[in-house]
Amino acid sequence: MDSSLKRHSGERRKSFPLSVWILLGTSGLLALMLIVALFSVLTLQGQEAANEPVANVITNPNSYMGQAVTTNGQVGRVVSNNAFTVVQPGANGGNELLVVTKRPLDGMIPSSTKLQPGQSFLIGGSIQTLNTGSFQKQTGVTIDGNALAPWQGKAVLEADTVNPIQGQP
């Protein structure tokens, strides 16, 4: 038998003290918690803003100025193929919020859906001050200035997404 095997077989193996194992376990757990927290933050950054009640956006749009907003509301009236108003579902008259889109609406919503008053949509975009001249220059979209005159200089929702809500009128 090899002498090196004899020498080691009778020796007691040294192990790490309990405090080292506790320290390693705690460090590993903290590292795992940090990774999970970082992943959560990075995941949330890619998501759209929380769904805001349309009544809040309609009554106080300036508090959302420049922010990403997702809301749902009913079409109040169709202004053009790039603009419509939303009202609070079930509201009789009252305030409305203008929604403008960079792409024609008939290319944003399914062909089976008709944009008409009373139709419910989930709308995502950002609240901006409407300047028809700069909007038209930036997007190439021409909307009749007279049709948008009531909203000139006011807060509007520049929509990136317009999706019908299934099962709604």
Side-chain angles (χ1 to χ4, degrees):
M1 195 182 237
D2 185 19
S3 63
S4 64
L5 289 176
K6 287 182 186 176
R7 186 179 60 207
H8 291 292
S9 62
E11 289 181 13
R12 184 169 178 210
R13 202 175 214 193
K14 292 184 180 181
S15 68
F16 290 107
L18 181 60
S19 60
V20 172
W21 286 111
I22 292 172
L23 181 63
L24 287 172
T26 304
S27 299
L29 183 60
L30 288 174
L32 180 62
M33 289 171 53
L34 180 63
I35 289 169
V36 169
L38 183 60
F39 179 77
S40 297
V41 168
L42 292 175
T43 302
L44 289 175
Q45 286 178 345
Q47 294 181 349
E48 286 189 23
N51 192 1
E52 291 292 331
V54 72
N56 293 355
V57 180
I58 289 172
T59 57
N60 197 6
N62 290 329
S63 66
Y64 300 96
M65 191 61 66
Q67 296 181 27
V69 173
T70 300
T71 191
N72 62 319
Q74 288 182 344
V75 175
R77 56 187 156 144
V78 179
V79 178
S80 76
N81 197 27
N82 290 82
F84 63 97
T85 64
V86 290
V87 296
Q88 183 176 355
N92 295 329
N95 293 336
E96 58 188 0
L97 176 68
L98 181 68
V99 176
V100 295
T101 62
K102 296 175 183 174
R103 298 186 339 246
L105 286 161
D106 55 14
M108 292 181 74
I109 60 176
S111 59
S112 60
T113 303
K114 183 175 171 145
L115 188 71
Q116 59 189 4
Q119 179 75 29
S120 295
F121 285 90
L122 181 65
I123 307 153
S126 62
I127 301 293
Q128 303 294 332
T129 301
L130 180 65
N131 179 321
T132 55
S134 66
F135 179 76
Q136 290 178 10
K137 284 179 186 174
Q138 290 173 358
T139 63
V141 172
T142 303
I143 302 174
D144 178 15
N146 292 330
L148 296 180
W151 293 280
Q152 181 68 26
K154 294 185 179 176
V156 299
L157 176 53
E158 272 189 28
D160 299 316
T161 60
V162 178
N163 297 306
I165 298 174
Q166 299 301 323
Q168 297 291 318

